[in-house]
PDB file of all heavy atoms in Angstrom:
ATOM      1  N   MET A 496     -59.977  37.678 -73.667  1.00 94.00           N
ATOM      2  CA  MET A 496     -60.912  37.156 -74.661  1.00 94.00           C
ATOM      3  C   MET A 496     -60.578  37.706 -76.049  1.00 94.00           C
ATOM      4  O   MET A 496     -60.583  36.962 -77.041  1.00 94.00           O
ATOM      5  CB  MET A 496     -62.348  37.528 -74.282  1.00 94.00           C
ATOM      6  CG  MET A 496     -62.896  36.763 -73.091  1.00 94.00           C
ATOM      7  SD  MET A 496     -64.593  37.243 -72.668  1.00 94.00           S
ATOM      8  CE  MET A 496     -65.469  36.655 -74.113  1.00 94.00           C
ATOM      9  N   PHE A 497     -60.279  38.985 -76.113  1.00 95.00           N
ATOM     10  CA  PHE A 497     -59.921  39.604 -77.392  1.00 95.00           C
ATOM     11  C   PHE A 497     -58.651  38.977 -77.949  1.00 95.00           C
ATOM     12  O   PHE A 497     -58.574  38.644 -79.133  1.00 95.00           O
ATOM     13  CB  PHE A 497     -59.727  41.110 -77.192  1.00 95.00           C
ATOM     14  CG  PHE A 497     -59.388  41.865 -78.448  1.00 95.00           C
ATOM     15  CD1 PHE A 497     -60.390  42.372 -79.257  1.00 95.00           C
ATOM     16  CD2 PHE A 497     -58.063  42.065 -78.824  1.00 95.00           C
ATOM     17  CE1 PHE A 497     -60.086  43.074 -80.421  1.00 95.00           C
ATOM     18  CE2 PHE A 497     -57.751  42.757 -79.978  1.00 95.00           C
ATOM     19  CZ  PHE A 497     -58.763  43.257 -80.778  1.00 95.00           C
ATOM     20  N   ALA A 498     -57.643  38.806 -77.084  1.00 93.00           N
ATOM     21  CA  ALA A 498     -56.369  38.248 -77.525  1.00 93.00           C
ATOM     22  C   ALA A 498     -56.537  36.800 -77.990  1.00 93.00           C
ATOM     23  O   ALA A 498     -55.947  36.394 -78.995  1.00 93.00           O
ATOM     24  CB  ALA A 498     -55.345  38.321 -76.397  1.00 93.00           C
ATOM     25  N   THR A 499     -57.330  36.023 -77.281  1.00 93.00           N
ATOM     26  CA  THR A 499     -57.534  34.623 -77.646  1.00 93.00           C
ATOM     27  C   THR A 499     -58.141  34.500 -79.035  1.00 93.00           C
ATOM     28  O   THR A 499     -57.741  33.637 -79.828  1.00 93.00           O
ATOM     29  CB  THR A 499     -58.451  33.925 -76.625  1.00 93.00           C
ATOM     30  OG1 THR A 499     -57.838  33.988 -75.334  1.00 93.00           O
ATOM     31  CG2 THR A 499     -58.684  32.461 -76.991  1.00 93.00           C
ATOM     32  N   TYR A 500     -59.069  35.375 -79.350  1.00 93.00           N
ATOM     33  CA  TYR A 500     -59.761  35.304 -80.642  1.00 93.00           C
ATOM     34  C   TYR A 500     -58.957  35.933 -81.776  1.00 93.00           C
ATOM     35  O   TYR A 500     -58.897  35.392 -82.882  1.00 93.00           O
ATOM     36  CB  TYR A 500     -61.116  35.993 -80.538  1.00 93.00           C
ATOM     37  CG  TYR A 500     -61.907  35.978 -81.831  1.00 93.00           C
ATOM     38  CD1 TYR A 500     -62.552  34.828 -82.258  1.00 93.00           C
ATOM     39  CD2 TYR A 500     -61.999  37.114 -82.631  1.00 93.00           C
ATOM     40  CE1 TYR A 500     -63.268  34.794 -83.443  1.00 93.00           C
ATOM     41  CE2 TYR A 500     -62.708  37.101 -83.816  1.00 93.00           C
ATOM     42  CZ  TYR A 500     -63.340  35.942 -84.223  1.00 93.00           C
ATOM     43  OH  TYR A 500     -64.042  35.920 -85.406  1.00 93.00           O
ATOM     44  N   HIS A 501     -58.308  37.060 -81.506  1.00 93.00           N
ATOM     45  CA  HIS A 501     -57.719  37.855 -82.590  1.00 93.00           C
ATOM     46  C   HIS A 501     -56.222  37.664 -82.790  1.00 93.00           C
ATOM     47  O   HIS A 501     -55.735  37.790 -83.916  1.00 93.00           O
ATOM     48  CB  HIS A 501     -57.975  39.348 -82.343  1.00 93.00           C
ATOM     49  CG  HIS A 501     -59.335  39.801 -82.756  1.00 93.00           C
ATOM     50  ND1 HIS A 501     -59.718  39.928 -84.065  1.00 93.00           N
ATOM     51  CD2 HIS A 501     -60.413  40.167 -82.022  1.00 93.00           C
ATOM     52  CE1 HIS A 501     -60.979  40.346 -84.129  1.00 93.00           C
ATOM     53  NE2 HIS A 501     -61.414  40.498 -82.901  1.00 93.00           N
ATOM     54  N   PHE A 502     -55.482  37.403 -81.737  1.00 93.00           N
ATOM     55  CA  PHE A 502     -54.021  37.495 -81.834  1.00 93.00           C
ATOM     56  C   PHE A 502     -53.393  36.171 -82.251  1.00 93.00           C
ATOM     57  O   PHE A 502     -53.623  35.131 -81.629  1.00 93.00           O
ATOM     58  CB  PHE A 502     -53.418  37.927 -80.496  1.00 93.00           C
ATOM     59  CG  PHE A 502     -53.667  39.373 -80.152  1.00 93.00           C
ATOM     60  CD1 PHE A 502     -53.239  39.901 -78.934  1.00 93.00           C
ATOM     61  CD2 PHE A 502     -54.325  40.221 -81.022  1.00 93.00           C
ATOM     62  CE1 PHE A 502     -53.455  41.220 -78.607  1.00 93.00           C
ATOM     63  CE2 PHE A 502     -54.553  41.551 -80.712  1.00 93.00           C
ATOM     64  CZ  PHE A 502     -54.123  42.051 -79.493  1.00 93.00           C
ATOM     65  N   SER A 503     -52.569  36.229 -83.295  1.00 92.00           N
ATOM     66  CA  SER A 503     -51.804  35.058 -83.712  1.00 92.00           C
ATOM     67  C   SER A 503     -50.465  34.988 -82.973  1.00 92.00           C
ATOM     68  O   SER A 503     -49.778  33.972 -83.026  1.00 92.00           O
ATOM     69  CB  SER A 503     -51.537  35.096 -85.225  1.00 92.00           C
ATOM     70  OG  SER A 503     -50.782  36.245 -85.568  1.00 92.00           O
ATOM     71  N   HIS A 504     -50.093  36.083 -82.296  1.00 92.00           N
ATOM     72  CA  HIS A 504     -48.862  36.134 -81.506  1.00 92.00           C
ATOM     73  C   HIS A 504     -49.213  36.461 -80.047  1.00 92.00           C
ATOM     74  O   HIS A 504     -50.147  37.238 -79.797  1.00 92.00           O
ATOM     75  CB  HIS A 504     -47.908  37.209 -82.034  1.00 92.00           C
ATOM     76  CG  HIS A 504     -47.241  36.847 -83.320  1.00 92.00           C
ATOM     77  ND1 HIS A 504     -47.936  36.501 -84.456  1.00 92.00           N
ATOM     78  CD2 HIS A 504     -45.912  36.769 -83.647  1.00 92.00           C
ATOM     79  CE1 HIS A 504     -47.082  36.238 -85.430  1.00 92.00           C
ATOM     80  NE2 HIS A 504     -45.849  36.387 -84.973  1.00 92.00           N
ATOM     81  N   PRO A 505     -48.471  35.912 -79.100  1.00 93.00           N
ATOM     82  CA  PRO A 505     -48.684  36.319 -77.702  1.00 93.00           C
ATOM     83  C   PRO A 505     -48.330  37.795 -77.547  1.00 93.00           C
ATOM     84  O   PRO A 505     -47.503  38.325 -78.297  1.00 93.00           O
ATOM     85  CB  PRO A 505     -47.695  35.441 -76.917  1.00 93.00           C
ATOM     86  CG  PRO A 505     -47.269  34.358 -77.860  1.00 93.00           C
ATOM     87  CD  PRO A 505     -47.384  34.921 -79.239  1.00 93.00           C
ATOM     88  N   ILE A 506     -48.932  38.450 -76.565  1.00 91.00           N
ATOM     89  CA  ILE A 506     -48.581  39.841 -76.327  1.00 91.00           C
ATOM     90  C   ILE A 506     -47.189  39.901 -75.696  1.00 91.00           C
ATOM     91  O   ILE A 506     -46.671  38.909 -75.173  1.00 91.00           O
ATOM     92  CB  ILE A 506     -49.621  40.560 -75.447  1.00 91.00           C
ATOM     93  CG1 ILE A 506     -49.746  39.881 -74.080  1.00 91.00           C
ATOM     94  CG2 ILE A 506     -50.965  40.611 -76.138  1.00 91.00           C
ATOM     95  CD1 ILE A 506     -50.660  40.614 -73.127  1.00 91.00           C
ATOM     96  N   LEU A 507     -46.575  41.059 -75.747  1.00 90.00           N
ATOM     97  CA  LEU A 507     -45.186  41.218 -75.329  1.00 90.00           C
ATOM     98  C   LEU A 507     -44.957  40.771 -73.888  1.00 90.00           C
ATOM     99  O   LEU A 507     -43.971  40.096 -73.582  1.00 90.00           O
ATOM    100  CB  LEU A 507     -44.765  42.685 -75.490  1.00 90.00           C
ATOM    101  CG  LEU A 507     -43.351  43.033 -75.034  1.00 90.00           C
ATOM    102  CD1 LEU A 507     -42.318  42.258 -75.849  1.00 90.00           C
ATOM    103  CD2 LEU A 507     -43.114  44.532 -75.159  1.00 90.00           C
TER     104      LEU A 507
END
Side-chain angles (χ1 to χ4, degrees):
M496 288 180 66
F497 181 89
T499 300
Y500 180 76
H501 279 288
F502 288 177
S503 61
H504 287 56
I506 60 175
L507 177 62

